[in-house]
């Protein structure tokens, strides 16, 4: 038995079995490529779930982290630290929001956003028992609050009861949202582009109308930009392309480009009427190491013109995927925004993904029949060509023409 096969067996005895993992142990990365422990090379079109925007082993980023490790790693939120001061200021500027709370993950950012909405409405109405409207097919994370607003019964079923007062509406169906609004509603929550649910961007008219209704009724609009944010959709945050501003937003995944960090942000108006000292906290959130990563990521995005680059390569990726969709009858739709794209098949995509891995391409699905493309943002045309060739071979070997 090979060493890696033995290690995988060991892992399966030690780790809680909550994932059916691919039989690969990744060892190191370089730019767009990953290498497993047996030296096999893979083109990475997954970026560790839309995380590693800068590509692997990016020298300036690695150096910034190493320098911070040698200085200070953790202090808690009882004190200030320079990386957090800098990261918060840069994130405010990049997002156009007014106040930042750093978390350790996406789910925690959602938890903070939900608490903000309930506190806001508590101050607004002088009582509790408020309602949140979330979307069907949404994904917001695995903790109880985040799971409660995740519109996928399969994830929730065994863990009921969820937090109360959550109602679900349909993405891009404004009437279904309006039908759920009552005087108890404190927030409408959606992903600007649904990720796990199958890569569904919000329609501009839908989002504008939600903004209008929320304004009329003093309801908070919370946008989850954990997957679609940080440049992925061709703007720092996808909502910036819609001509609206949320009251609260969440960000994570690519924010630290691999170091676990997230944040929820809000406007000054919401900050003035919601969480105060004692309402919320975290031991690690905003620690110097995580914030050194955020700060460096935001610097590099600006220095390297990352958003412009995304907008430059997006049409190339779209054209390549449209070409496949035209050529193969098993592909029925291509949709997405920027470097967050989905190809919908009329057959399961699992065997295609397996075929890609065998041929040295890391891809993932978003639902049973949808291939998801969330590569590092630094991809070039040559990587798109290489990906398309491998993917096409895999499709042909599984489903023929
Ligand atoms: C991944 C994701 C989350 C959860 O983030 P974690 O860091 O895994 O807790 C929440 N919302 C969206 C849209 C996501 O893609």
């Amino acid at each position: 038995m090979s060493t890696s096969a033995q290690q995988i067996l060991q892992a399966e005895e030690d780790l809680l079995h909550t994932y059916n993992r691919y039989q690969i142990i990744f060892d190191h990365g370089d730019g767009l490529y990953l290498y497993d422990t047996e030296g096999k090379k893979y083109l990475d079109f997954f970026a560790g779930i839309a995380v590693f925007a800068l590509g692997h082993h990016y020298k300036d980023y690695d150096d910034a982290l190493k320098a911070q490790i040698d200085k200070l790693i953790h202090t808690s939120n009882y004190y200030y630290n320079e990386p957090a001061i800098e990261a918060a200021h840069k994130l405010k500027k990049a997002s156009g929001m007014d106040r930042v709370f750093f978390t350790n993950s996406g789910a925690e950012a959602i938890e903070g956003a939900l608490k903000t909405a309930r506190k806001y409405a508590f101050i607004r109405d002088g009582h509790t028992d408020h309602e949140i409207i979330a979307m069907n097919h949404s994904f917001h994370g695995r903790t109880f609050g985040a799971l409660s607003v995740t519109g996928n019964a399969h994830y929730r079923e065994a863990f009921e009861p969820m937090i109360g007062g959550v109602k679900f509406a349909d993405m891009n169906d404004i009437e279904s949202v309006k039908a759920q609004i009552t005087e108890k509603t404190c927030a409408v929550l959606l992903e600007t582009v649904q990720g796990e649910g199958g890569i569904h961007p919000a329609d501009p008219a839908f989002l504008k109308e939600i903004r209008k209704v929320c304004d009329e009724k003093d309801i908070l609009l919370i946008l989850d930009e954990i997957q679609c944010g940080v440049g992925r959709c061709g703007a720092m945050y996808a909502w910036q392309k819609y001509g609206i501003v949320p009251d609260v937003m969440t960000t994570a995944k690519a924010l630290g480009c691999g170091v676990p960090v997230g944040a929820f942000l809000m406007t000054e108006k919401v900050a003035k009427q919601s969480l105060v000292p004692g309402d919320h906290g975290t031991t690690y959130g905003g620690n110097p190491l995580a914030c050194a990563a955020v700060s460096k990521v935001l610097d590099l995005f600006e220095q390297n013109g990352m958003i412009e680059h995304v907008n430059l390569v997006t049409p190339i990726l779209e054209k390549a995927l449209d070409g496949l969709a035209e050529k193969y009858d098993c592909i029925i739709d291509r949709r997405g925004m920027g470097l967050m794209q989905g190809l919908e098949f009329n057959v399961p995509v699992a065997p295609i993904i397996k075929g890609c891995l065998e041929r040295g391409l890391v891809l993932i699905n978003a639902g049973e029949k949808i291939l998801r493309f969330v590569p590092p943002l630094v991809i070039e045309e040559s990587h798109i060509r290489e990906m398309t060739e491998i993917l096409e071979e895999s499709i042909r070997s599984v489903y023929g023409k």
Side-chain angles (χ1 to χ4, degrees):
M1 199 186 287
S2 69
T3 313
S4 71
Q6 274 170 13
Q7 288 172 314
I8 287 169
L9 275 182
Q10 184 69 58
E12 285 304 326
E13 279 182 27
D14 298 338
L15 291 169
L16 190 65
H17 192 82
T18 52
Y19 283 95
N20 290 314
R21 291 177 165 86
Y22 294 102
Q23 302 296 295
I24 298 170
I25 307 176
F26 283 124
D27 181 64
H28 61 282
D30 188 15
L32 264 286
Y33 295 92
L34 281 167
Y35 298 82
D36 68 18
T37 48
E38 299 186 339
K40 183 172 166 183
K41 183 180 177 183
Y42 300 80
L43 175 62
D44 184 4
F45 254 66
F46 182 38
I49 326 189
V51 168
F52 232 109
L54 297 167
H56 300 281
H57 195 44
Y58 192 104
K59 191 174 181 311
D60 280 3
Y61 169 87
D62 293 357
D63 288 346
L65 288 192
K66 287 174 198 166
Q68 189 59 46
I69 285 170
D70 286 338
K71 259 178 103 175
L72 187 65
I73 295 178
H74 180 77
T75 55
S76 90
N77 282 303
Y78 284 99
Y79 315 96
Y80 299 93
N81 72 74
E82 281 184 334
I85 293 169
E86 284 171 23
H89 194 67
K90 289 173 192 172
L91 187 54
K92 258 182 71 167
K93 200 165 141 237
S95 65
M97 304 298 283
D98 298 321
R99 298 270 172 178
V100 183
F101 184 103
F102 287 113
T103 67
N104 310 291
S105 68
E108 279 177 61
I110 294 288
E111 298 292 330
L114 298 179
K115 281 179 73 176
T116 300
R118 280 193 173 177
K119 183 73 192 287
Y120 182 88
F122 175 71
I123 294 172
R124 182 189 72 186
D125 299 342
H127 61 78
T128 57
D129 192 27
H130 288 96
E131 294 171 352
I132 293 162
I133 301 173
M135 300 299 134
N136 287 313
H137 307 295
S138 61
F139 181 83
H140 300 291
R142 303 293 197 150
T143 54
F144 268 105
L147 196 56
S148 300
V149 289
T150 287
N152 183 334
H154 171 73
Y155 289 149
R156 297 195 311 261
E157 200 177 17
F159 307 102
E160 301 279 351
M162 297 284 109
I163 68 163
V166 178
K167 293 166 147 189
F168 290 96
D170 289 326
M171 182 86 161
N172 293 331
D173 177 352
I174 189 66
E175 292 312 318
S176 82
V177 177
K178 285 183 178 168
Q180 302 281 23
I181 291 177
T182 70
E183 71 281 3
K184 286 185 179 179
T185 309
C186 67
V188 177
L189 163 68
L190 66 144
E191 294 153 87
T192 317
V193 181
Q194 281 190 343
E196 306 298 316
I199 316 293
H200 293 280
D203 290 340
F206 174 73
L207 201 48
K208 283 207 176 99
E209 190 62 22
I210 290 189
R211 179 66 278 176
K212 197 166 141 239
V213 174
C214 285
D215 283 340
E216 283 164 11
K217 301 188 185 290
D218 199 14
I219 293 168
L220 299 186
L221 171 59
I222 307 173
L223 291 179
D224 181 348
E225 291 257 349
I226 290 168
Q227 189 161 157
C228 62
V230 194
R232 180 151 299 278
C233 291
M236 196 59 196
Y237 287 99
W239 59 258
Q240 292 167 339
K241 295 172 90 174
Y242 286 79
I244 56 111
V245 179
D247 301 296
V248 180
M249 66 163 263
T250 58
T251 178
K253 289 198 165 85
L255 182 62
C257 276
V259 170
V261 60
F264 62 97
L265 295 94
M266 61 190 76
T267 60
E268 192 61 29
K269 178 185 159 221
V270 178
K272 277 210 180 97
Q273 195 183 314
S274 59
L275 303 178
V276 296
D279 277 346
H280 198 57
T282 163
T283 298
Y284 288 134
N287 100 3
L289 182 62
C291 285
V294 174
S295 190
K296 195 67 191 177
V297 167
L298 294 174
D299 283 348
L300 289 170
F301 264 62
E302 201 170 300
Q303 279 166 28
N304 297 353
M306 198 67 95
I307 308 289
E308 292 76 17
H309 180 75
V310 168
N311 287 316
L312 205 71
V313 289
T314 292
I316 304 171
L317 178 61
E318 287 177 339
K319 194 166 161 231
L321 298 179
D322 283 339
L324 291 176
E326 218 162 274
K327 203 162 161 189
Y328 293 95
D329 293 340
C330 56
I331 303 174
I332 55 177
D333 193 20
R334 193 273 304 164
R335 56 177 180 263
M337 195 185 283
L339 296 182
M340 183 170 180
Q341 295 285 332
L343 265 189
E344 183 165 358
F345 287 65
N346 56 18
V347 288
V349 296
I352 298 174
I353 291 172
K354 198 162 159 274
C356 287
L357 285 170
E358 282 161 12
R359 292 171 175 82
L361 169 65
V362 179
L363 263 189
I364 204 74
N365 60 317
E368 192 202 353
K369 294 181 177 174
I370 296 155
L371 275 185
R372 170 168 29 166
F373 302 82
V374 286
L377 303 185
V378 292
I379 54 165
E380 300 287 348
E381 183 167 6
S382 62
H383 303 117
I384 294 172
R385 225 179 301 126
E386 187 184 346
M387 178 279 291
T388 311
E389 277 167 25
I390 299 176
L391 173 57
E392 193 165 357
E393 263 181 51
S394 178
I395 294 172
R396 233 185 287 132
S397 77
V398 177
Y399 293 116
K401 177 81 180 83

